[in-house]
Amino acid sequence: MRLYSRVRLLLVLLSLAAALGLPLLTYAPNRLLTGQGIALLAWLQAGSGLRWLVLLPALPLLLAPWWRPGVLRERAVYLAALWLGAALWWLAGSEAMLRAGDEDALARVSFGGGFWLLQLLLLLQLAEALQVLAAGLPRRVLLLALAQLPLLLLLLSGRLDSLSLLREYHNNQDAFDDALLRHVQLVLFSVLPALLLGGALGVAAYRSARFARLLFPVLNVLQTIPSIALFGLLIGPLAWLGRQLPGLGIAGVGLAPALLALSLYALLPVVRGTLAGLQQVPPTVREAARGMGMTPWQIMLQVETPLALPVFLSGLRITTVQAVGLAAVAALIGAGGFGAIMFQGLSASALDQVLLGVLPVLLLALLVDVAFRLLISRLKGADDHA
């Protein structure tokens, strides 16, 4: 039998190791105690033979490394990964309903390491299949979103409500909503000033090489300071400023130092993106614009800015994704956001509460990344057709 894909073989071997060597779920008498692992094999052997039907979608994935490449193989892999992923979610929800009982029961069923690793490997299988099935990024994103529909239906139907993670969500729904709003505020109001200031500094660095030589060492030093240390450094000056200007509501801890620190961190990628975008504009294009009688401002607004926009947005994408992650650390100085839920879970040794804070941050970062990539792809497509 000929091996056609070593990547797929590696994914299959890792999936088998995760399924056979790691617990799929964990069961604990309450949220604070460490749970006992529930292996996939033990779950299959404990019930009727019908349980093995859950693994039927895995067959195309197991055969994929030796399957001749083509659209047929990728369609089979896409559907198999989709249904196996949904089957694992359904299995987890059903086992939680069986073991954890109603919502007042203390017993908890959580996801084990095998579950998360299998879901990650199935996503990689989907991504591999979409490289062949979908030519452009928008279509790949659409097919990837469609693959998540079974999970959405399971969530809406309440099939997963007995899982410990969902119980944590329902018990902390108000705090979760507040954290979502505050996290978005932290990202938005830190990236926006960095966008305005960084864009201006990037243009200035492009116009003056001397200014660029002075600017980038300062920004590099700011970027190398650990986030917690920067939050700490800002406490003293902002507390002093708050005492001098009591009416402005500035304090050494809370929202103000968090926004200032996140904005400072966001400056370097914005400035570099602006400078790189302007530098890649061909000199012949500027010469042609000057030859047409355009003023420097007209060249900047009508020629250089549109051509530099995709590279500039790439820098802004990195900045925003970075801000989504760093905003979680801002909870250490009382700024709120999902970091507050995460650190509360850590202090209480409640793993599912930690995940309740971590997973939305991960999802937000992915959504921001995909949105920017789609926008950049659309701009490049428009340029290609211009």
Side-chain angles (χ1 to χ4, degrees):
M1 187 179 291
R2 181 178 174 184
L3 177 65
Y4 288 102
S5 174
R6 293 182 180 178
V7 174
R8 284 242 157 76
L9 178 61
L10 178 62
L11 292 177
V12 167
L13 292 176
L14 289 174
S15 299
L16 288 173
L20 301 176
L22 294 174
L24 192 70
L25 302 170
T26 60
Y27 171 77
N30 59 56
R31 70 193 289 262
L32 300 180
L33 293 179
T34 303
Q36 294 180 337
I38 304 172
L40 177 61
L41 202 57
W43 178 82
L44 292 170
Q45 291 173 343
S48 66
L50 291 176
R51 288 191 172 188
W52 289 87
L53 294 177
V54 171
L55 296 183
L56 269 182
L59 285 177
L61 299 176
L62 293 173
L63 296 174
W66 297 275
W67 195 337
R68 187 182 294 278
V71 174
L72 180 62
R73 183 185 76 173
E74 304 308 331
R75 284 177 179 169
V77 167
Y78 175 82
L79 292 174
L82 185 159
W83 286 113
L84 185 58
L88 289 175
W89 285 106
W90 173 84
L91 184 159
S94 301
E95 194 66 14
M97 291 174 70
L98 184 66
R99 289 176 180 258
D102 57 29
E103 60 182 12
D104 296 327
L106 294 177
R108 297 297 182 105
V109 174
S110 305
F111 299 113
F115 181 89
W116 292 116
L117 186 52
L118 280 173
Q119 290 291 351
L120 174 64
L121 293 168
L122 289 172
L123 276 176
L124 292 176
Q125 291 275 14
L126 280 173
E128 277 289 306
L130 292 178
Q131 294 288 332
V132 175
L133 294 177
L137 182 63
R139 195 175 174 194
R140 285 177 199 163
V141 172
L142 177 63
L143 288 175
L144 200 57
L146 287 175
Q148 308 310 313
L149 275 181
L151 170 59
L152 181 62
L153 292 175
L154 286 171
L155 283 170
L156 294 177
S157 68
R159 188 76 188 179
L160 307 180
D161 283 354
S162 296
L163 284 161
S164 181
L165 183 61
L166 270 296
R167 285 190 175 184
E168 288 290 348
Y169 169 72
H170 290 303
N171 292 338
N172 300 280
Q173 190 167 358
D174 291 338
F176 184 91
D177 294 342
D178 292 342
L180 173 61
L181 179 62
R182 176 51 64 93
H183 209 94
V184 172
Q185 287 175 338
L186 283 169
V187 174
L188 188 61
F189 294 123
S190 62
V191 171
L192 192 59
L195 175 64
L196 298 174
L197 180 59
L201 291 174
V203 172
Y206 173 71
R207 299 295 182 200
S208 169
R210 185 179 179 186
F211 178 72
R213 285 195 295 273
L214 294 173
L215 175 65
F216 280 108
V218 176
L219 295 179
N220 286 331
V221 169
L222 279 175
Q223 199 75 17
T224 55
I225 299 175
S227 55
I228 295 177
L230 187 56
F231 289 142
L233 289 173
L234 292 173
I235 288 176
L238 288 177
W240 176 83
L241 188 62
R243 288 194 296 273
Q244 303 304 314
L245 303 169
L248 296 181
I250 299 174
V253 294
L255 192 60
L259 290 177
L260 184 55
L262 292 173
S263 298
L264 291 175
Y265 270 116
L267 273 180
L268 181 60
V270 172
V271 174
R272 284 208 179 277
T274 306
L275 181 60
L278 291 171
Q279 285 176 336
Q280 55 90 47
V281 176
T284 53
V285 174
R286 293 192 184 92
E287 290 299 325
R290 290 191 194 98
M292 293 171 64
M294 297 177 75
T295 65
W297 273 109
Q298 287 176 321
I299 294 174
M300 169 63 76
L301 295 176
Q302 298 178 23
V303 177
E304 291 177 329
T305 301
L307 291 175
L309 198 54
V311 178
F312 171 74
L313 287 176
S314 296
L316 188 58
R317 176 180 64 83
I318 295 171
T319 303
T320 313
V321 171
Q322 175 184 277
V324 170
L326 282 176
V329 186
L332 288 173
I333 55 169
F338 286 120
I341 297 177
M342 188 174 66
F343 290 119
Q344 284 172 10
L346 284 172
S347 62
S349 300
L351 180 60
D352 288 303
Q353 192 176 3
V354 175
L355 289 176
L356 191 64
V358 170
L359 292 178
V361 174
L362 180 64
L363 190 59
L364 270 177
L366 286 173
L367 289 175
V368 166
D369 185 69
V370 169
F372 271 104
R373 286 182 185 278
L374 286 173
L375 181 59
I376 294 168
S377 170
R378 186 174 178 81
L379 285 174
K380 287 182 176 177
D383 287 344
D384 293 341
H385 287 90

